Amino acid sequence: MLLRERLDLASELKRRFDTNRLAHYRPYAKQKDFHAAGRTRRERLLRAANQVGKTLAGASEMAMHLTGRYPDWWVGRRFERPITAMAGSESAELTRDGAQRLLLGPPSDEAQWGTGTIPAAALVDRARRSGVTDAVDTIVVRHASGGNATLLLKSYDQGRRKWQANTVDVVWFDEEPPEDVYFEGLTRTNATGGIVWLTFTPLLGMSSVVRRFLLEASPDRHDTNMTIEDAEHIPPEEQAKIVASYPAHEREARIKGVPTLGAGRIFPVADEDIACDSIEIPDHWPRLGAMDFGWDHPFAAVELAWDRDADAIYLTKAYRRREATPVIHAAALKPWGDWLPWMWPRDGHRETLEGAGKALADQFSAQGLAMHGAHAQFDDGSVSVEAGLMEMLDRMQTGRLKVFRHLSEWFEEFRLYHRKEGKVVKEADDLMAATRYGVMMLRHAKTEPKPTQARPPMRSGGWMG
């Protein structure tokens, strides 16, 4: 009898777990960041590697909004009333096998519906979709406040018109949608002030939807990047096997959630080939700073250290900020060393209204930065962008350009830096440009003066280079 009772107890505990999985959802750090951003951002993207839990995160959040059951750790958007929502994927079959399966349970076994993220006790009704085996069209869910919430399941292959429902509160795109479908779904939330989120691996490259989140800054949008290393359920040894199984041209997208850029990528180099742990820079290694001016697009700056013996460059610091004055930027950069020589591009000769007619380079010099006496150029006076890029690529491929791995903003730009129709895309390239200026002017790097040494004399408009 005791064995029978134990079996019955175990069976009951499993049943309770299976029919209330939402109560047991514990997101990883990146999933939690994604959920939290919904409190203030209307549009969110969980740009993730394969099999790291992106669809589970989307299904779990959808179940919370449909039921009104929010866990104690939840800090994202809340709906205190029943909502109307839409969700879908590329086709009816993919919607069924992805979003529907995680929301309801196994599509082919109706007896198991209620074992997904929507608790069985909250399921009120569902309507099947005609023409597609085991697919559901509508799910009705009991909300904690009283009344019923409704979820409409769609697919992108139905076209934009099928997403023209009445106004809704929530839209979830599981896999990347076409641009017209995305904007149709977004439009459905205009009147309600609702939210839209996407969960996908960016295998379509730098599409208009991906570009919207990565290159078009807005306080209404948020991009969360989740890599295979952020998935705690995949042990390191298994991660290595998964990485090796993907073709090289898809590897960055499938393990890091980086848009596939193919032949258009300027630096076809893996992160790990250039990333290194932070090291203490020896006193005898010369250093320099390099900056790219910006206002609408960010101002950016980097510090390079040069191991002359190995002719290897180490990128040790990176700074990026938009819509700030030279006073603000200089305050952030001076702690790097007031002796540090700074390299800058040709537009540093340009005057700005904010600087009362003073050239940009002189404005930074006036704030105490040791600006070099001339704009960045090669020995022969040329400023070729392509020559600078080839110098950087050559160093990357020969192990002579290393970047401290914690400089996430630099790596973000590095991964997305690409060409279109043969031309360098001048978007989200600010740190790349600053790095290029520094590499061009490496011959002007200096070692830090000893405490007893006097600072170099100041010239009009800046420190002597």
Side-chain angles (χ1 to χ4, degrees):
M1 282 297 293
L2 182 58
L3 178 59
R4 177 68 182 185
E5 289 175 357
R6 287 179 176 175
L7 290 173
D8 289 344
L9 177 60
S11 177
E12 176 61 18
L13 290 174
K14 184 178 185 304
R15 184 194 69 81
R16 292 186 183 185
F17 178 89
D18 289 344
T19 58
N20 191 19
R21 290 181 180 271
L22 184 61
H24 304 282
Y25 173 57
R26 298 293 182 270
Y28 298 143
K30 287 296 182 72
Q31 293 169 320
K32 201 168 185 177
D33 290 345
F34 166 72
H35 295 312
R39 183 173 184 177
T40 56
R41 308 296 180 95
R42 184 181 174 200
E43 303 172 64
R44 283 174 292 146
L45 168 59
L46 180 54
R47 178 171 51 90
N50 283 129
Q51 303 299 313
V52 297
K54 57 184 180 296
T55 301
L56 176 61
S60 297
E61 178 162 343
M62 179 62 80
M64 292 178 202
H65 296 320
L66 291 171
T67 62
R69 300 184 184 186
Y70 297 101
D72 293 340
W73 53 262
W74 184 258
V75 295
R77 178 75 178 270
R78 289 175 180 260
F79 290 91
E80 307 296 342
R81 54 171 177 78
I83 66 167
T84 301
M86 292 194 299
S89 189
E90 297 172 18
S91 65
E93 291 78 10
L94 288 173
T95 300
R96 175 197 64 197
D97 297 339
Q100 177 189 318
R101 177 179 62 84
L102 287 182
L103 288 163
L104 287 181
S108 60
D109 187 357
E110 191 169 352
Q112 293 294 308
W113 289 3
T115 60
T117 58
I118 301 174
L123 276 174
V124 175
D125 200 4
R126 59 264 186 190
R128 290 185 177 273
R129 178 172 176 171
S130 60
V132 183
T133 304
D134 299 325
V136 169
D137 179 80
T138 307
I139 303 174
V140 181
V141 180
R142 184 175 297 106
H143 192 273
S145 67
N148 296 330
T150 302
L151 173 63
L152 308 172
L153 293 176
K154 307 283 186 181
S155 59
Y156 309 156
D157 60 7
Q158 292 178 294
R160 176 183 62 82
R161 291 183 180 276
K162 289 296 184 179
W163 290 76
Q164 290 179 335
N166 294 328
T167 55
V168 299
D169 302 286
V170 169
V171 180
W172 169 30
F173 295 101
D174 184 39
E175 300 305 337
E176 183 176 355
E179 183 181 32
D180 61 339
V181 171
Y182 178 72
F183 282 113
E184 194 59 54
L186 180 63
T187 300
R188 298 305 104 199
T189 66
N190 284 345
T192 62
I195 54 176
V196 176
W197 69 80
L198 310 90
T199 53
F200 63 79
T201 299
L203 293 172
L204 301 181
M206 191 58 75
S207 66
S208 57
V209 173
V210 171
R211 180 180 297 271
R212 179 175 179 82
F213 283 88
L214 271 60
L215 300 181
E216 300 174 15
S218 168
D220 280 340
R221 288 190 288 276
H222 185 271
D223 166 52
T224 303
N225 180 210
M226 186 174 180
T227 74
I228 193 172
E229 295 171 353
D230 298 313
E232 298 172 14
H233 63 281
I234 306 177
E237 60 273 16
E238 189 64 26
Q239 289 183 18
K241 293 179 183 177
I242 292 172
V243 171
S245 72
Y246 293 133
H249 68 283
E250 291 187 352
R251 197 164 291 160
E252 290 289 287
R254 292 193 180 277
I255 67 174
K256 294 183 181 295
V258 177
T260 301
L261 298 176
R265 188 170 179 184
I266 290 175
F267 299 128
V269 176
D271 289 12
E272 287 306 308
D273 289 345
I274 61 173
C276 68
D277 294 331
S278 301
I279 60 172
E280 186 172 347
I281 301 301
D283 292 340
H284 67 278
W285 286 12
R287 290 186 279 166
L288 60 74
M291 62 179 65
D292 183 45
F293 301 114
W295 180 262
D296 294 330
H297 70 86
F299 170 93
V302 298
E303 181 189 74
L304 303 180
W306 185 18
D307 175 2
R308 276 199 176 110
D309 295 334
D311 188 24
I313 300 172
Y314 288 78
L315 199 147
T316 61
K317 298 183 182 70
Y319 166 85
R320 189 176 66 185
R321 181 171 175 176
R322 70 172 65 244
E323 297 182 353
T325 65
V327 174
I328 301 299
H329 297 315
L333 298 177
K334 279 192 288 188
W336 296 10
D338 60 2
W339 61 272
L340 192 69
W342 282 96
M343 310 301 139
W344 45 276
R346 280 187 298 184
D347 61 355
H349 298 294
R350 180 170 52 84
E351 298 177 356
T352 64
L353 182 63
E354 296 83 357
K358 180 182 284 189
L360 274 167
D362 288 340
Q363 292 179 47
F364 280 86
S365 181
Q367 296 303 318
L369 294 188
M371 304 295 282
H372 187 67
H375 64 258
Q377 55 193 284
F378 288 104
D379 273 331
D380 61 3
S382 66
V383 293
S384 170
V385 173
E386 290 299 332
L389 295 177
M390 289 307 101
E391 171 71 10
M392 290 173 64
L393 179 58
D394 179 64
R395 285 183 170 276
M396 291 177 187
Q397 293 179 330
T398 57
R400 295 180 298 124
L401 198 162
K402 296 294 184 180
V403 182
F404 286 1
R405 69 176 70 252
H406 70 274
L407 301 176
S408 57
E409 289 185 329
W410 192 95
F411 279 103
E412 174 187 286
E413 287 192 13
F414 165 76
R415 296 166 188 147
L416 300 176
Y417 200 27
H418 69 289
R419 301 178 191 273
K420 186 175 183 180
E421 298 178 354
K423 296 182 180 180
V424 176
V425 175
K426 301 292 291 180
E427 295 177 322
D429 66 337
D430 311 284
L431 289 167
M432 296 299 100
T435 304
R436 178 165 52 85
Y437 301 139
V439 170
M440 289 168 63
M441 299 289 279
L442 192 61
R443 62 193 182 278
H444 295 290
K446 297 180 178 180
T447 56
E448 182 175 3
K450 299 297 182 183
T452 56
Q453 289 181 272
R455 292 183 62 177
M458 179 182 283
R459 69 161 175 84
S460 176
W463 301 102
M464 293 184 67

